Structures are given as structure tokens and as C-alpha cells.
Amino acid sequence: MQLTSIEQDMLTGKHGPATKKAMEILAALGAIYGAEHMVPVTSVQIAGVSYDNLGEAGLSFLSEMADGGGKARVLTTLNPAGMDIENWQALGISPEFAEGQFRVIEAFARMGVVTSCTCTPYLSGNVPHYGEHIAWAESSAVCYANSVIGARTNREGGPSALAAALTGCTPAYGYHLDENRLPRVSVDVRATVSSNDAFGALGKAIGQKLEVAGEKPLVTITGIARASVDNLKSFCASIATYGGAAMFHMAGITPEAAQVAPPERIMIIADEDIAAAHASMNDASSDDVDFVSLGCPHLSIGEIARIAELLKGKRVKKEFWITTARPTRQIADRMGYTAIIEASGAKFAADTCCVVAPIKGRFRALATDSAKACYYAYSKNKFKTVLKPFDDVIAEALR
Ligand code: F3S
């Protein structure tokens, strides 16, 4: 692999032990994937932030990198933590867990990482532009960045994203290269898809059809008339979770779709495929639901405004988490949405989400509009799930 002189200096330790370690990680990755050189990145998103996932082993790696003088060279933001940093007691988080989580946040902060704790960095100030090379490690955000924005990133792991932050570069392979951004299969959607849960079910339906075919090619999706940012963040999370996709094209909606001819090989998704995918994420009844959560991926301010509208003057009867980024919560405070929502008994869970918080086994069944949340509610937290449209999820909390 061809390294520039500064990259070579990083590798030999001239920029300190943490930068050396970071460049070793990237050089090894580059060798594995046959990269010929590094590419400078302008933005990094680091995942693997919850103390629930990291434990002491992960924390000790981060502390070692911070002690070794590691400093982010480009704008670097963080995925959700395992708790609301300011309001963790209200979510039933133990002081022991909080102490570990604070040490994680502190290690990242020492490295100059912006401790934003959100999986929608593109709604909170970390917004690359079209064609920019970045290194992001959150599967839903990676898919959003590549597909919706047209930025270029591989699906980084926590260590490789941190390594990119500390060096300002990443190996040039995968989605950084034009030839790997070409679609192989057309997916024609012959169904009406308009709500977040339906877009989530569409992502699962596509992922499952590809899995049956034993492949994970990049797809061009046709037949979607319109999709809001909220719909797209839901879809990206779902197709990344169920289809392992880091990118797709959507005709008339994503920027690179117009530049590539739709492949001749066509896969059809009909209403019944979406209905089957939707039904597969409903294995509980309303009577089972004792936990309601919206915000996977993190809620936009428009979605929070809608929650406030529907909860105004009412009381929720179930544990209801509103998961979002801290800056979005602050706008909600200013607009009076927070006061309305909290008066209803619902709880803000900023900085975190119902998947990365340590709540395994705490509830029986989750109601949500997120296909991704359904996947992890079942596989990680052992909850049953009810997938519904956004407004119906709120009605579920009031039942
Ligand atoms: Fe974000 Fe948590 Fe969902 S990190 S995409 S809200 S699983």
C-alpha cells in the first residue's frame, strides 16, 4: 500500500503511540481489502459507545488511545450511549453502569471527539456533502450517507472509525470507489409505501428476498413516488439491518440513481411481501405491550412536534421513551414540546435508545414504528414486538 510521508510517519510512531496504533489498524485493513492508498476523510462517526457493549475491555482500549495522545483530526461525532447523560436515573439506569458510561464519554472527549451521542449525525451538525469521503460506523447512518447524501463511506467498525478520526484518513476501497457504487439488481416496488413502519417493512422484505437469493448486491429501487427524510432514515436502518446494505439507489429520490442505468435483473416487491414482513415483526398483542419507544433512528424535531401534538393534555399508561439527540431535545425544550410530553408521563431518553440501553429482559413487549428496533428488541433484549405507524404507537402508549 502506497503511504504518503505523513502517513508513513504516523505508522512509525512519530505522531505518538495512539496515532501509530490507529495507522496500524488502517494499514492492516487496507492490506486485507487490497487498497492501493489512503483517502483523506472530512467526517467521522464512531459507534460502539454504550458501556453495555464496550465493557471494561472496550473502555481500556479507549483509555489507552486517549492516554497515548490520540486526537481527532477531523469532525468526529459519537453514536448513542447506554443512557441519557443528564437524566439517566429517570430511565432506571444503575449508578454502576452510569459510572462506566461516564468514563467512556470522558475518554472520547479527551480525544477531541464531539460527544453528540446520536445515530443521526446528519440531523445534528455532522453533515457531509455529495461525493465527500467520510468514515462512519453506524449502519443506518452509513446507508443514509452513501445513499441519500451521496457521500462515500464503508461500514466502519468502532476501532476503524476511531483510527480514521485520529489519522484523518481511511483505506481507499469499497464504497470509496466508483465501481463499487453500481447497482446489480433492480427492485421494483409495486406497493404503496408511505409511513416509517411501512418503509421499515420494505427494507426487511428486500433484505429477506436478497438473503433467499444468497447475495447482498447493491440495488436500485424503483416505484417509490416520494419519501421524507424521516421515511428514509427508517428505511436505511431497516435495509442495513435485514439486508446488510451500506447503500442503495432510489429512482427519483437519491442523487446517484440518475447516473446509473437500472440493472435488467428485476426483483418485484408487492403489497403481500410488505405485509408479510410487517406481520413478522408483530408477535405480541396490545395487551402484552408494556414498553413504547419512538426514535430508532433518533427522532427529528418534526417527529417530536407530532408527539407533543398527540400527547397534549393526556396521560400515558405505559413506559414511553422518546429517543433523540441532545440538540433536538434542546429545540423541543425551547418550543415547549418537552413540557407537554413530560406532563403526559412520557420520558425523554436523549443520547441513548431502546437498543443500546441496558434494559435486557426489563419489559415484555415493545411497541414501535421501527423495523430495526424490532430486530434488536427481540435478538438483544428478548422482548416481543408490535410494529405500528407512528401515530398508532403513540395511541398504544395511551391505551
Ligand atoms: Fe439509532 Fe439505537 Fe436505532 S443507535 S438506529 S436508535 S438502534
Side-chain angles (χ1 to χ4, degrees), residues 79-80 118-120 138 140 237 295-298 323 352-356 370 372-373 376:
N79 232 33
T118 180
C119 53
T120 54
E138 153 54 40
S140 66
C296 174
H298 272 172
T323 66
T352 188
C353 76
C354 66
V355 170
V356 297
S370 165
K372 176 174 179 177
Y376 286 102

Side-chain angles (χ1 to χ4, degrees), residues 59-387:
L59 179 54
S60 109
F61 170 73
L62 292 176
S63 302
E64 191 189 315
M65 295 300 265
D67 293 343
K71 282 278 178 272
R73 289 168 190 254
V74 296
L75 176 63
T76 302
T77 49
L78 273 194
N79 232 33
M83 63 186 201
D84 186 310
I85 302 299
E86 295 179 14
N87 197 27
W88 52 271
Q89 295 96 332
L91 303 180
I93 304 295
S94 71
E96 297 71 38
F97 182 90
E99 197 255 325
Q101 188 63 72
F102 280 125
R103 282 158 59 217
V104 170
I105 300 289
E106 188 259 348
F108 279 121
R110 275 201 286 147
M111 290 187 273
V113 174
V114 178
T115 54
S116 50
C117 299
T118 180
C119 53
T120 54
Y122 48 87
L123 297 181
S124 293
N126 189 355
V127 197
H129 63 62
Y130 180 86
E132 228 171 349
H133 293 277
I134 62 176
W136 281 17
E138 153 54 40
S139 62
S140 66
V142 163
C143 196
Y144 192 97
N146 275 323
S147 315
V148 181
I149 299 175
R152 296 181 170 223
T153 179
N154 288 318
R155 199 161 147 161
E156 302 293 347
S160 67
L162 178 61
L166 302 190
T167 59
C169 63
T170 192
Y173 71 95
Y175 293 96
H176 292 283
L177 307 178
D178 289 344
E179 62 265 31
N180 296 322
R181 300 174 72 85
L182 299 175
R184 307 278 171 222
V185 175
S186 289
V187 176
D188 192 22
V189 180
R190 299 181 186 169
T192 308
V193 187
S194 57
S195 54
N196 289 349
D197 59 307
F199 272 94
L202 172 64
K204 182 170 185 181
I206 295 173
Q208 282 179 329
K209 278 213 171 182
L210 293 175
E211 199 176 20
V212 169
E215 52 185 350
K216 290 183 181 171
L218 206 163
V219 298
T220 284
I221 299 161
T222 56
I224 300 290
R226 63 175 301 280
S228 68
V229 165
D230 295 332
N231 296 154
L232 287 167
K233 71 181 164 69
S234 180
F235 179 70
C236 288
S238 180
I239 197 168
T241 299
Y242 293 100
M247 184 176 181
F248 60 88
H249 300 290
M250 196 176 273
I253 291 171
T254 63
E256 288 174 59
Q259 298 165 21
V260 287
E264 284 176 12
R265 203 179 132 206
I266 295 185
M267 203 171 87
I268 292 165
I269 296 284
D271 278 319
E272 50 269 31
D273 297 312
I274 295 178
H278 206 283
S280 71
M281 292 179 273
N282 278 283
D283 66 348
S285 69
S286 289
D287 289 342
D288 293 327
V289 171
D290 55 354
F291 183 38
V292 178
S293 184
L294 286 170
C296 174
H298 272 172
L299 291 163
S300 65
I301 190 64
E303 291 175 315
I304 292 176
R306 179 67 181 159
I307 296 171
E309 193 182 338
L310 294 178
L311 289 183
K312 192 165 188 178
K314 300 178 183 149
R315 286 290 300 172
V316 302
K317 301 201 174 64
K318 293 164 187 164
E319 179 87 0
F320 185 5
W321 286 15
I322 314 291
T323 66
T324 193
R326 176 71 49 192
T328 311
R329 150 89 204 236
Q330 286 165 342
I331 300 169
D333 293 352
R334 178 178 293 175
M335 293 303 296
Y337 304 149
T338 305
I340 294 169
I341 289 168
E342 290 187 336
S344 78
K347 296 172 182 172
F348 267 88
D351 313 310
T352 188
C353 76
C354 66
V355 170
V356 297
I359 54 173
K360 182 173 177 181
R362 203 162 110 189
F363 302 101
R364 215 170 34 239
L366 167 75
T368 179
D369 72 337
S370 165
K372 176 174 179 177
C374 287
Y375 178 88
Y376 286 102
Y378 175 77
S379 63
K380 176 172 183 268
N381 287 329
K382 309 300 171 206
F383 306 154
K384 292 186 168 189
T385 56
V386 169
L387 179 73

